[in-house]
Amino acid sequence: MNERVYLVNQKEVNEKNTVQERNNPQEPSAGGLNRIKKVIAVMSGKGGVGKSTVTGLLAVSLKRQGYSVGIMDADITGPSIPRMFGVNKKPENIGLGLLPAESSTGIRIMSLNLLLENEDDPVIWRGPLIGNAIQQFWNDVVWGDLDYLLVDLPPGTSDAPLTVMQSLPLDGIIVVSSPQELVGMVVKKAVKMANMMNLSVIGLVENYSYMVCPKCGERIEVFGKSRGQEGANEAKVPYLGSLPIDHKLANFCDEGRIEEYESSETSDMGSWVKLD
Ligand code: ADP
């Protein structure tokens, strides 16, 4: 099968780099000028557990605490960050590199979806191309000064997340899990993968942990007793907390308004990744 390249600006960026290097080898690239204090990746053992949502909520929490924040949507084949933030403006090429899109509160976002002609075009890429795209998201994006760059990794423990992890200077990883996954080996596998790559695991978050009855306020553990703490202990990583199933959150994400979502469970997420 042919690898199909949809990164419309890739050719342009490559040409620019070649011409630039030939004409003026001293001219700085975007990557060399960016100053990013912490790069945190969010991973999950499999898809659909809320990894992108946790990335988005973490960004919102950090932004509300006054930090400058960017999100690199590295979930190349299933990018969902732009939609969650209601962002669809094509990143502008300012010569030095691509300017990330900016959300309504000023979170800088780069995603392959923003570069596609149609956001529902599939991206059918193998590992090397995914690696190239991530390298470009790091080297050719004008992130500027950031306190935090959050990286939404591809799900699972296959080639795609591995490529991304190897391509970026990560300071730490947050693992997101649903209650069902905690019963099996999926989370342990994800943590083991991070450990094998000498990456520090900041901790585990259990999503869909419970729901609150809208009528009586009772906390219902839909998938049985929460196993977040136990799962974290078994995987020998810190337990960061649990998030409830909240239809309001799903609606806000669907409508591109995650920045307007407020809840007591998510407001302090920024403290998970304190700057030294
Ligand atoms: P992943 O990145 O792991 O594939 P997503 O973050 O895209 O998963 O979440 C999958 C779907 O579940 C999305 O529609 C999202 O809005 C919804 N979702 C995630 N977490 C919650 C939650 N705690 N409550 C309600 N809906 C959620």
Side-chain angles (χ1 to χ4, degrees), residues 103-171:
S103 74
S104 56
T105 64
I107 294 170
R108 295 171 215 165
I109 295 172
M110 180 51 73
S111 168
L112 195 59
N113 244 21
L114 297 170
L115 301 169
L116 299 177
E117 278 307 313
N118 304 300
E119 67 164 1
D120 45 10
D121 281 348
V123 176
I124 311 163
W125 284 0
R126 293 199 180 134
L129 274 184
I130 293 180
N132 282 348
I134 297 306
Q135 282 295 334
Q136 289 198 329
F137 280 2
W138 180 255
N139 290 320
D140 299 326
V141 171
V142 186
W143 293 106
D145 287 3
L146 283 182
D147 291 317
Y148 293 96
L149 178 66
L150 306 182
V151 182
D152 187 14
L153 288 177
T157 48
S158 67
D159 184 40
L162 182 74
T163 307
V164 179
M165 284 178 179
Q166 284 174 332
S167 309
L168 296 171
L170 299 178
D171 292 299

Side-chain angles (χ1 to χ4, degrees), residues 240-252:
L240 297 172
S242 58
L243 299 177
I245 301 170
D246 182 356
H247 72 95
K248 274 205 312 283
L249 172 59
N251 291 347
F252 273 101

Side-chain angles (χ1 to χ4, degrees), residues 57-73:
L57 289 169
L58 181 57
V60 170
S61 171
L62 286 167
K63 187 73 197 169
R64 284 184 190 153
Q65 290 175 7
Y67 295 106
S68 50
V69 187
I71 305 180
M72 183 195 285
D73 187 358

